C-alpha cells in the first residue's frame, strides 16, 4: 500500500523520521509492504511546500540543513499553504503532526489532529499535549470517521510503552504502572549520585541539551504528569486530568538525601505511578521515591526511561529504553505508521 | 468472534491457560471481542474428551485437581480420541499445543503442529522443540494454508519477546539481541553471588522446582541454545540450528570467579547472544559473561529473564520479566490467541 504523507512541523522530530524514512525506504517496502510519498511539509518557521505527486525528501532535508528552511524547494507547485490548508486541501491521507508542544492548551496540535480526523485522514503524533488533554475525544472521533490515530511516542519516545500495554500485555490485567518517564530529572539524579550538587547537575543537563533554560517543566514534574495521565487514560481505563495527579518535583532533594538513601541500599528516582485502588478507582502520582537497589528501576541511569507494569498473570514486566532524542522519537512515528499499515493491510487481504 | 479450541496436552501450562480463561471469559469478550468454547482436550496421561458443543472448563480443571485425570467427564460424547484424531476430526479451529518438549526431535509436538496446519487449523504453542527445529517450514506451511501460528511463549514465557521484536521494534533495525533466557541458571548464579557454592545453589534450585533432577539441559546451556536459535531465526533473518551455536554452561564457575568479577564491578550471567556481523552473517552463542553492574542485565536476579535489543534507531531497549511458571506461560498462549484474533477480526470489518 502506498501512503501519501504530510508533515505538520519539520523540527528535530520530523527530520528524525524523515532521515529514517530516506534510509529505510527500500526495506520498509520489501519487508513490510509499506510504501509512501511525502506530498507536503508545512512548518511555521521553515515554510511550506506541497506537490500532489510527491516531494524529494532527501532534497528537503538537505535544504533544511543548509538554509534552515524549505522555501528554497522551488519545483513544488504550492509553497504558501499553512498547516490547516495542508491538512484539509492536500491529497495526503496520513498527517504526521510534529508541531510544538503546549501541555496547557494542546494547541495548535489539538486543532491539527481534530481537523485531520474530521477530514478522514489518519494521524500519528508524539506530542503529549493533545493526547494528555483529549485522548478519549480524539479516539472516539477517529472511530466515528473510521481513521486511525497513533501516539506511541508520547511516552518513552520510540521505546514500546503504550503498545506494550495495549497489545503485548492485553488480557494480563495491569494493576499498576510505575516508572521513570523523564530523562532530564533522571540524568540530574544520576549526577547527584556521583557527587554533583543539584545546581551543578542541572547546569550539566542544560549544557548537554537535556534541560531547557527554564527547567520547570521537567524538574517540577509537569512533563512526567502529562505522561502518567496518558498511561492512566490509555492503559488503566482512567479518565483523569493533570490536576488529578499528586505532584512533587526533585528541586528540594539534597546531596544529604542522596547519601542517606545510599546508606539504606536505595536510590532516589522521580517515579511516575498509576495504580488501580481496591475500590476500583485509579490514582496517579509523580514524586521522588527511594527505590531499593534490587528493583530494575534503580539501575536505570542517565537520560534513560523505564516502566514497570505490574500484572495479575505475569507479575512484573519492565521495559527500559530511550525516552527522547531525534531518532528515537522519529522512530516512534514510524512504529505508528507501521501499526496503522498492519491494521489496514490485514483488512485488505 | 467465537473460537473452538482444543488442548493437546493438559499439564501445568495448559491448566494455567485454562485457569486464566475461566477467570477472564467475560473480560475477554467485552474488551477484546474474543469468545470461545473449549471443545476438546486430549492428554496422553489424563485422558481425552470431546464435545462439539463445548466442554465445561471449570469442571475439567476440577476433575484434574481431584483425580489427576479428565476421564471422569462422563457427559462428553467422545472420550477416547488420541491427539491426532482430536486435531483432525474435531470441530476445533484453533489447536493449543501443550504436550511435552523434546529439543532433539520436536516430537510429538512437531507432528501435532504440522497436522493442525495441514487441516486448516490455527496453532498456538509454547513448546520450543518444533519452533527451534522447524520455524521456517511451519511458517511457510501456515502461509500456504492461510492459517496463523503463534509461539510467543517459546522465549521468556509470557514476557513480550518475539512480538516485541517483530512488531513493536519493526523497522528499528535490530543488530543484536542478548540476554538472560534461562531462569534456572540465573537463580543459581544469584545464589552464588550470595555465597552459596555451585552445588548448594543447584540443590536449592532443585528443591524449589526451578531445576530438574538431571539439570544438564539448563546448566549446560541447551535450553538457552534452543531459545537463541528461535530469536535468531525469527528476528534476525537467520537460518541456524542448535549445532551452529557456540555453547558453554555454568558448571565450571566457582565462588572465586564470582568474587573476582565482584572486584571488577561485574557480575557473571549466562548470556545468550545473537548478532549480525559486519559481513552480514548472524552469529549466536550461549556462555557465561561478566557484565558490568551498570548494564540493565546485571540487576536481573533470581529466576527472572531479560533481553536487550540493540537497534540502529532506538539504541538499546531492554525487557525484563518472568521466563517460566504456570500462569506466565499459560498467559503466553492467551497473548497468541488474542494476536490471532486481532488479525482475523480486522479482516472482518
Amino acid at each position: 500500500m502506498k501512503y501519501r504523507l504530510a508533515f505538520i512541523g519539520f523540527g528535530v522530530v520530523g527530520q528524525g523520521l524523515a532521515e529514517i524514512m530516506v534510509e529505510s525506504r527500500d526495506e520498509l517496502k520489501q519487508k513490510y509492504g509499506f510504501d509512501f510519498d511525502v506530498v507536503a511539509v508545512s512548518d511555521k518557521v521553515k515554510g511550506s511546500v506541497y506537490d500532489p505527486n510527491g516531494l524529494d525528501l532527501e532534497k528537503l532535508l538537505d535544504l533544511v540543513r543548509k538554509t534552515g528552511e524549505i522555501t528554497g524547494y522551488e519545483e513544488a507547485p504550492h509553497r504558501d499553504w499553512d498547516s490547516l490548508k495542508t491538512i484539509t486541501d492536500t491529497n495526503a491521507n496520513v498527517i504526521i503532526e510534529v508541531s510544538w508542544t503546549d501541555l496547557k492548551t494542546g494547541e495548535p496540535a489539538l486543532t491539527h489532529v481534530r481537523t485531520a480526523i474530521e477530514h478522514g485522514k489518519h494521524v500519528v503524533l508524539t506530542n503529549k499535549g493533545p493526547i494528555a488533554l483529549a485522548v478519549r475525544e480524539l479516539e472516539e472521533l477517529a472511530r466515528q470517521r473510521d481513521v486511525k490515530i497513533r501516539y506511541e511516542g508520547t511516552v518513552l519516545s520510540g521505546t514500546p510503552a503504550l503498545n506494550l500495554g495495549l497489545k503485548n500485555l492485553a488480557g494480563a490485567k495491569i494493576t499498576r504502572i510505575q516508572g521513570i518517564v523523564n530523562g532530564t530529572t533522571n540524568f540530574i539524579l544520576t549526577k547527584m549520585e556521583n557527587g554533583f550538587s543539584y545546581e551543578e547537575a542541572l547546569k550539566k543537563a542544560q549544557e548537554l541539551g537535556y534541560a531547557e533554560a527554564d527547567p520547570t517543566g521537567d524538574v517540577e514534574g509537569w512533563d512526567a504528569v502529562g505522561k502518567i495521565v496518558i498511561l492512566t487514560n490509555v492503559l488503566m481505563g482512567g479518565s483523569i486530568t493533570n490536576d488529578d495527579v499528586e505532584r512533587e518535583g526533585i528541586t528540594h532533594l539534597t546531596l544529604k538525601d542522596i547519601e542517606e538513601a545510599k546508606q539504606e541500599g536505595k536510590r532516589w528516582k522521580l517515579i511516575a505511578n498509576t495504580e488501580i485502588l481496591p475500590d476500583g478507582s485509579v490514582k496517579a502520582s509523580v514524586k521522588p521515591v527511594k527505590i531499593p537497589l534490587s528493583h530494575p528501576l534503580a539501575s536505570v541511569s542517565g537520560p534513560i526511561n523505564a516502566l514497570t507494569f505490574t500484572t495479575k498473570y505475569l507479575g512484573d514486566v519492565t521495559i527500559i529504553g530511550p525516552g527522547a532524542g531525534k531518532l528515537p522519537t522519529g522512530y516512534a512515528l514510524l512504529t505508528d505508521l507501521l501499526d496503522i499499515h498492519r491494521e489496514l493491510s490485514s483488512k485488505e487481504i
Side-chain angles (χ1 to χ4, degrees), chain A:
Chain A
M1 213 184 303
K2 192 162 190 174
Y3 298 88
R4 294 181 306 277
L5 314 177
F7 284 78
I8 304 302
F10 205 58
V12 172
V13 173
Q15 290 172 49
L17 172 63
E19 285 175 17
I20 294 172
M21 296 187 94
V22 164
E23 272 191 9
S24 304
R25 183 184 285 275
D26 294 343
E27 184 182 331
L28 292 172
K29 191 170 174 182
Q30 282 161 24
K31 206 162 164 185
Y32 306 107
F34 181 89
D35 197 7
F36 65 93
D37 274 329
V38 172
V39 295
V41 176
S42 179
D43 184 284
K44 204 162 172 78
V45 176
K46 300 183 182 70
S48 295
V49 289
Y50 168 46
D51 186 334
N53 298 314
L55 298 157
D56 180 336
L57 197 51
E58 276 186 83
K59 186 174 167 173
L60 280 171
L61 283 167
D62 204 44
L63 272 172
V64 170
R65 272 183 222 117
K66 286 180 180 150
T67 68
E69 42 186 49
I70 55 176
T71 43
Y73 196 108
E74 294 181 354
E75 306 85 331
H78 308 283
R79 290 191 293 142
D80 58 351
W81 291 20
D82 67 11
S83 57
L84 283 177
K85 191 167 166 68
T86 300
I87 293 168
T88 56
D89 286 17
T90 62
N91 67 347
N93 54 9
V94 183
I95 303 298
I96 299 163
E97 209 297 326
V98 276
S99 68
W100 61 94
T101 297
D102 182 323
L103 274 179
K104 290 222 176 70
T105 66
E107 295 298 353
L110 187 50
T111 299
H112 293 158
V113 176
R114 274 200 196 107
T115 307
I117 297 174
E118 278 161 0
H119 283 75
K121 302 186 176 193
H122 309 293
V123 185
V124 299
L125 70 163
T126 62
N127 190 322
K128 283 186 302 297
I131 301 304
L133 289 168
V135 66
R136 283 166 180 268
E137 173 212 324
L138 296 172
E139 284 280 6
E140 175 57 24
L141 195 60
R143 204 191 53 75
Q144 285 170 14
R145 302 301 166 106
D146 197 23
V147 298
K148 311 282 180 192
I149 173 170
R150 291 289 183 280
Y151 38 84
E152 174 67 74
T154 56
V155 183
L156 267 60
S157 74
T159 304
L162 299 177
N163 285 323
L164 195 74
L166 281 173
K167 296 188 175 166
N168 307 66
L169 300 179
K173 297 194 199 280
I174 301 169
T175 55
R176 181 180 186 181
I177 307 172
Q178 59 170 330
I180 297 163
V181 297
N182 180 272
T184 310
T185 47
N186 203 51
F187 175 85
I188 291 173
L189 291 174
T190 302
K191 280 284 164 199
M192 288 175 76
E193 293 267 334
N194 299 332
F196 285 57
S197 70
Y198 170 77
E199 289 74 20
E200 290 166 341
L202 172 60
K203 202 174 154 222
K204 190 76 192 165
Q206 286 168 327
E207 280 169 18
L208 288 170
Y210 293 149
E212 294 174 48
D214 175 1
T216 314
D218 291 318
V219 298
E220 294 295 358
W222 290 111
D223 172 75
V225 164
K227 290 168 182 168
I228 203 69
V229 165
I230 294 172
L231 287 166
T232 302
N233 292 350
V234 175
L235 297 181
M236 306 286 276
S239 187
I240 66 170
T241 68
N242 287 1
D243 294 338
D244 299 316
V245 181
E246 184 192 342
R247 181 188 53 80
E248 185 187 319
I250 63 161
T251 54
H252 61 81
L253 285 180
T254 63
L255 283 178
K256 188 160 165 273
D257 295 320
I258 303 280
E259 194 50 45
E260 274 176 15
K262 233 181 236 179
Q263 304 295 332
E264 298 167 29
K266 295 182 178 173
R267 192 170 276 165
W268 284 101
K269 292 289 177 192
L270 183 66
I271 297 294
N273 183 74
T274 179
E275 58 186 297
I276 298 173
L277 301 180
D279 70 1
S281 66
V282 188
K283 189 172 169 266
S285 64
V286 169
K287 57 186 176 189
V289 176
K290 281 186 281 189
I291 298 280
L293 290 181
S294 58
H295 194 285
L297 293 178
S299 63
V300 175
S301 58
I304 300 301
N305 283 193
L307 285 175
T308 297
F309 296 77
T310 300
T311 68
K312 180 169 184 184
Y313 298 127
L314 271 178
D316 281 1
V317 173
T318 299
I319 185 109
I320 305 173
K326 181 180 189 175
L327 291 180
T329 313
Y331 170 74
L333 294 161
L334 178 61
T335 218
D336 285 342
L337 291 171
L338 288 175
D339 193 54
I340 289 176
H341 171 60
R342 203 177 290 124
E343 288 198 13
L344 295 179
S345 54
S346 53
K347 266 195 208 179
E348 259 195 349
I349 293 164

